[in-house]
Amino acid sequence: MYPVWEVPGLTAGLVLGLIAAFHMLPSHLSVGAMWLNVYLESRAERENRPELLDFVRKYSRLLLIFSYVFGSLSGVGIWFAATLAAPRAISGLIHNYVWGWATEWVFFIVEVVGIFVYVYSFDKVDRKTHIRIGWIFALGSWTTMVVIVGILTFMLTPGLWPQTGGFFDGFFNRTYWPQLFLRTGSMLVIAAAYATVIAARVYDAKVRSTVARAASVFGLGGLALGAACFFWYRASLPAHAVEIVEMLVKPGLRQGMIGSTVLLALYFGWLIVKPASARFWPALASILVLFAGIWSFERSRELIRKPWVIPNYMYSNQIIGADLPAKGVRSEIPAINERGILKTAPFVPKNLREVNDENRLQAGRMVALLECAACHSLQQGGVRSLARIAREKELDADMMEGLLYSLDQMPYMPPFAGTDPERRALAEFVAALSKGELR
Amino acid sequence: MTTHAMLQALADPMGVPFYPRVFQTLGVLTFSIHILCVNLAIGALVLSIYGRYWGDDFWKGLSGSLAKACTAAVSGAILFGVAPLLFMQVLYDPFWYASNMLSGAWVLGFVGVVTAAYGILYLRVSRDCGASGVVSAALFLVAGAIMHALNAQMLAPEKWTDWAVKDGAPSVSGLALHAFEPLRFAHFIVPAVAAAGVFLMLYAWYFSPREDFDKTVLARAARAGASLAFWATAVQALGGVLWLVTLPSEFRFHMNPAFVVAALLGFGLLGYFWRIRGKEDPAASAPGAAAALFIVTLAMAASRETLRGLYLGKWGYTLAAHQVHLDIGSTALFFATFVLGVSVAAWLLAVAFQAGRVPGRWTPGPRMQAWGKASIGILAAWLVVVVALGIFITFKNHGA
C-alpha cells in the first residue's frame, strides 16, 4: 500500500471522475470530428462549393486546440489522477496492458501529426491530398478508440483473464463490442454538437444551413446507434453489475442519461427540419446537456464496478482480494487478517502500528485512510462521508463494528481486512467522527 | 521494515509481459525525443520573448515563427512524454507511485500548470509573444521543476517513510515537494538554448530553396543558431562537470562506460558546433547538427538511465528481478503497429515537408500519392485484422 493522498470532502476518486468526464468531450470530439470534416470537404470538392471550406477550416482549428491542447493534457491528467486515486490499480492495469497503451500511443502519433498537417496544409496541398490526410486522421483516431475500449471494458468485465491472465482474453470481453459501438455513437453526437456551435458562427446562411443539417444527421444517427448499443451493453452486463445498478445508480444519474438523449434528439431533429435556425447559445447549451449525459453514464459505469477496481482481482481499496494463479499472485486478505493492515502497509507511522488505548482513534483514522478513503470522505460531509452515513443510520461504535463484520454481505463493499483491534479502532473512529468529536 | 522489504512489498506482483530491457530501451529512446521537444519548446519561447522585447528587426521578425515552433514542440513533448511515463511505470512502479503519492497536490498541479501554459501559448502567444509569453514560459519552468522534484524523490526511498509522516500522524495533503537538485535541473534546462539554436539552423536550411524568403535573414538565422548552439553546449558541459561532482562518490560514475561514452560524445558535439560556427554557411550543416544533437541526447538519456540503476541498485532493485510472463500476442501487436504507424506518420510528415518548401499549393507526384493510398490501406488492414481477431476470440471465449 502506498502513501495516501486525501482530497478533503471530494476524494481522489471523484477528482479522477471529473477529469475523466471532461476528457470525454475533447477525446470523442477528436475521434468523431474528422468524419464530418472529410464528408463536408469532399462535398465541397464534388459540388464545387468552396464556401463550405470556411466551416471545415474553423472546425479543424477547434479540433486542434480543444482536442490536442486541452484534450491531450486532460488525457495525461487522467493518468496522474488515476495514479493518485489508486496507484496499485493503475499499476495492475499497466502491468497487464502496457502493450495495449503503447499500441494506442502509436495511433496517437498518427493523430497528432495528422491534425497538425491537416490544419497547416489547408492551403498548401491540393484538395485531394488534403482529404486523404483527413481520412488518415479519421481512421487513426477511431483506432485509438478500438484499443482503449478494450482496457476500459476490462475494468468491468475481464472475460477469461482471471483464469488465463491473457491479454486478449481480458481485452475482447463480453462488453467490448457494445461499448465500442456505444462510444462510436457518442463520438458522432459530440462531433455534431460542436459542429453546430461552429456552424452558428459561420456568416454565410447557406453554409450554416448545410452544415447544421449535415451535423444533425450525424448527431441523430449517433444517438440512434448509441441508444441501441446501450441496450446491448445493458444486456451484456454480468448479473452482479445489474444488481449494483439497481442498488447504487441513483434516479438522478438515470434521468441524466435519458434526459440528455431526449433533449439532444429534439435538438438535432429540429435542426434537420430548420437548419437555418442554428444559433450559438442553443448550440452551446447542447454541449452542457451532452456533458450531463456523459457524467451520468461515466459515474454509473464507475459505480457498477464495485466492490472491485479490477474485477475478481483487486478491491476498490486496492487490496488484492482474489488469487490470480496465471500470474502467480495470491490474495492479500488472509495475510492482512493475520498480521493487521497497520503492520502490513509500509507508510504507517511507527506509533500507530499497534492499536492501544492511547492511539485508538488515530489508528482508526489510519485504517480508514487505507481501506475507506478511496471512496469515502473522512470529513463531516462530502462524498459518501463516513460520518454522515453513521449519523443517518444512527450507528454507535458497537453497531459500526457489527457493520464492518458484515461488509462482505453487501454486494458493493469490499470486506474489512485486518485484525479485530483494527476493526474496533476503525469503528470507534467513525463513531467519534460522526458525533463531531474529531476534526 | 527495511527499505528493501518496503520496495518488495510495493512492487506490482503481476510481473511484466516482455523482457524488461526492451521496455527500458523504448523508454530511453522516447525520453530522448521528449526532452529534445521540451528543450526546443522552452528555448524557442525564450528566444521569441527576447525577439519581441529586446531584439532588432531580425529577431522581432523571427519571434512569431519561434512561438509557432514552441507550440508544435509542446505537442511533441506531450506526445513523447506519454511513452516514457508508461514504460517507467512498468519498470519502476514503486518509485514513481510513492513519489507521486507523497506530493499529490503537486502532481495534479503539474497538469493544471502545463494546461494553462499551453492554453496561453495557443490562444495568446502564437499571435503576440508579449507578457503572455513570459507567463507561459514561467509556467513551463514550474512544470519542469515539479517533474524534476518527482524524479528526485524517486531516488531516495530511504526517506519516504519520514516524508509520509508529520508529527506522528500520516501526512496526506501532498502539499510538499521533498527533493530538488538545482544543478541537475539546470542540466535539463540549459540545452533548451542549444536546441533552439539548432532549430534556427534548420529553419534557414529548410526555407533556403524558397525564393520568397529573404536570404540575408536566413543566413543570419543560421549564424545566430550555430552560435547559440555552441555557447549553450559549452555552458552545458561546464554544468555537467559540476553536477558530476555532486553525485555519490561510491557510484564512481565518472568511470562508468555509459557516462564516458555520453561525455565523449557531448564534447564531440561541442567541437562540431565550434566547426559549424566558423563556417560561411552554417545552414548547410543543419541536418547533421540535428542528427548529432539527437545522438548525444540519446547517449545522455542512456547515461541517466544507468545512473538511476545505480541509485536504485543500492536497495537491491534490479530490472532482472521483474518476473516475466511472456505475452507474445500483445507484444507482436505493438511492434507490428509501431512499424505500420511510423510509416503512416512518415507520409504525413513527408507531405508537410515538401509542401512547406514551395510557395503556393503543392501537388504530390505519383509515388507520394501511392504512399498516401497505401497509408489508408494500412490503417484499414489493421482494423480488419484486429476486428477479425476480436470476433474470433469473442466467439471462442463467450460463445454466440
Side-chain angles (χ1 to χ4, degrees), chain A residues 377-399:
Chain A
S377 158
L378 304 189
Q379 314 294 313
Q380 290 301 319
V383 177
R384 302 186 202 98
S385 157
L386 287 179
R388 196 176 57 229
I389 292 170
R391 267 197 306 274
E392 284 172 2
K393 295 186 188 298
E394 297 179 355
L395 301 174
D396 62 15
D398 291 338
M399 293 159 76

Side-chain angles (χ1 to χ4, degrees), chain B residues 49-77:
Chain B
I49 293 166
Y50 167 78
R52 165 71 171 72
Y53 283 113
W54 300 286
D56 54 17
D57 286 349
F58 163 76
W59 283 108
K60 277 194 169 52
L62 275 183
S63 179
S65 298
L66 286 162
K68 274 188 186 150
C70 177
T71 56
V74 173
S75 258

Side-chain angles (χ1 to χ4, degrees), chain A residues 160-180:
Chain A
L160 294 191
W161 178 83
Q163 288 97 59
T164 67
F167 179 98
F168 290 112
D169 285 333
F171 192 92
F172 291 114
N173 56 74
R174 59 198 291 184
T175 57
Y176 176 80
W177 298 106
Q179 199 170 136
L180 174 64

Side-chain angles (χ1 to χ4, degrees), chain B residues 219-257:
Chain B
R220 188 172 164 194
R223 282 198 304 276
S227 197
L228 284 169
F230 170 74
W231 286 111
T233 306
V235 173
Q236 170 75 345
L238 185 67
V241 172
L242 288 174
W243 173 54
L244 188 67
V245 175
T246 67
L247 292 178
S249 56
E250 70 265 27
F251 289 169
R252 295 178 58 77
F253 197 57
H254 60 286
M255 300 292 281
N256 190 293

Side-chain angles (χ1 to χ4, degrees), chain A residues 94-159:
Chain A
I94 284 177
H95 281 81
N96 267 287
Y97 282 106
V98 54
W99 289 133
W101 264 300
T103 300
E104 192 208 4
W105 171 74
V106 173
F107 290 110
F108 187 38
I109 296 177
V110 173
E111 277 186 297
V112 172
V113 175
I115 190 62
F116 268 95
V117 176
Y118 186 83
V119 168
Y120 291 113
S121 70
F122 215 93
D123 299 316
K124 289 294 297 173
V125 295
D126 65 291
R127 196 54 52 211
K128 203 169 149 191
T129 304
H130 198 254
I131 292 170
R132 190 168 285 149
I133 295 167
W135 274 114
I136 287 177
F137 178 91
L139 277 168
S141 203
W142 188 63
T143 309
T144 62
M145 183 182 271
V146 169
V147 178
I148 201 65
V149 164
I151 302 172
L152 284 177
T153 53
F154 164 83
M155 289 192 274
L156 175 64
T157 47

Side-chain angles (χ1 to χ4, degrees), chain B residues 153-358:
Chain B
Q153 288 176 186
M154 276 178 70
L155 303 179
E158 76 280 12
K159 296 177 184 164
W160 293 346
T161 46
D162 291 336
W163 293 339
V165 176
K166 194 176 178 187
D167 303 328
S171 173
V172 292
S173 70
L175 287 170
L177 284 175
H178 304 279
F180 197 85
E181 297 174 32
L183 279 172
R184 189 171 178 179
F185 181 57
H187 202 62
F188 280 107
I189 297 302
V190 171
V193 180
V198 172
F199 168 77
L200 284 178
M201 290 166 64
L202 282 170
Y203 176 84
W205 168 79
Y206 180 71
F207 288 113
S208 57
R210 290 267 298 256
E211 293 301 323
D212 52 335
F213 272 70
D214 186 336
K215 301 291 178 202
T216 55
V217 168
L218 292 180
R220 188 172 164 194
R223 282 198 304 276
S227 197
L228 284 169
F230 170 74
W231 286 111
T233 306
V235 173
Q236 170 75 345
L238 185 67
V241 172
L242 288 174
W243 173 54
L244 188 67
V245 175
T246 67
L247 292 178
S249 56
E250 70 265 27
F251 289 169
R252 295 178 58 77
F253 197 57
H254 60 286
M255 300 292 281
N256 190 293
F259 169 77
V260 172
V261 169
L264 286 175
L265 285 171
F267 282 107
L269 182 72
L270 187 62
Y272 183 53
F273 283 153
W274 169 258
R275 241 187 78 205
I276 291 174
R277 192 173 155 262
K279 282 187 175 177
E280 183 79 13
D281 178 22
S285 307
L293 181 63
F294 175 69
I295 290 167
V296 171
T297 307
L298 191 62
M300 290 284 179
S303 168
R304 168 182 178 261
E305 182 69 12
T306 305
L307 182 60
R308 174 152 56 192
L310 293 173
Y311 271 106
L312 307 189
K314 281 198 294 185
W315 313 106
Y317 195 89
T318 64
L319 291 189
H322 287 283
Q323 203 180 359
V324 178
H325 296 288
L326 272 185
D327 193 305
I328 299 298
S330 65
T331 307
L333 174 74
F334 167 71
F335 281 104
T337 305
F338 185 73
V339 171
L340 298 174
V342 166
S343 77
V344 173
W347 181 76
L348 293 166
L349 289 169
V351 167
F353 180 86
Q354 299 197 44
R357 265 203 151 178
V358 294

Side-chain angles (χ1 to χ4, degrees), chain A residues 5 91 96 105 124 169 177, chain B residues 12 14 79 358 362 394 397:
Chain A
W5 182 56
S91 174
N96 267 287
W105 171 74
K124 289 294 297 173
D169 285 333
W177 298 106
Chain B
D12 197 289
M14 272 200 274
L79 181 61
V358 294
W362 174 77
T394 305
N397 288 355

Side-chain angles (χ1 to χ4, degrees), chain B residues 47-142:
Chain B
L47 288 186
S48 178
I49 293 166
Y50 167 78
R52 165 71 171 72
Y53 283 113
W54 300 286
D56 54 17
D57 286 349
F58 163 76
W59 283 108
K60 277 194 169 52
L62 275 183
S63 179
S65 298
L66 286 162
K68 274 188 186 150
C70 177
T71 56
V74 173
S75 258
I78 296 167
L79 181 61
F80 285 95
V82 169
L85 185 62
L86 177 66
F87 298 130
M88 181 161 66
Q89 289 176 76
V90 174
L91 299 178
Y92 304 113
D93 44 308
F95 303 92
W96 177 247
Y97 295 130
S99 177
N100 273 243
M101 298 306 288
L102 289 164
S103 304
W106 287 96
V107 172
L108 217 55
F110 169 83
V111 179
V113 166
V114 177
T115 306
Y118 200 19
I120 292 169
L121 196 64
Y122 249 103
L123 301 175
R124 299 293 301 255
V125 180
S126 53
R127 286 179 205 153
D128 176 22
C129 189
S132 48
V134 177
V135 172
S136 189
L139 288 172
F140 278 129
L141 285 174
V142 169

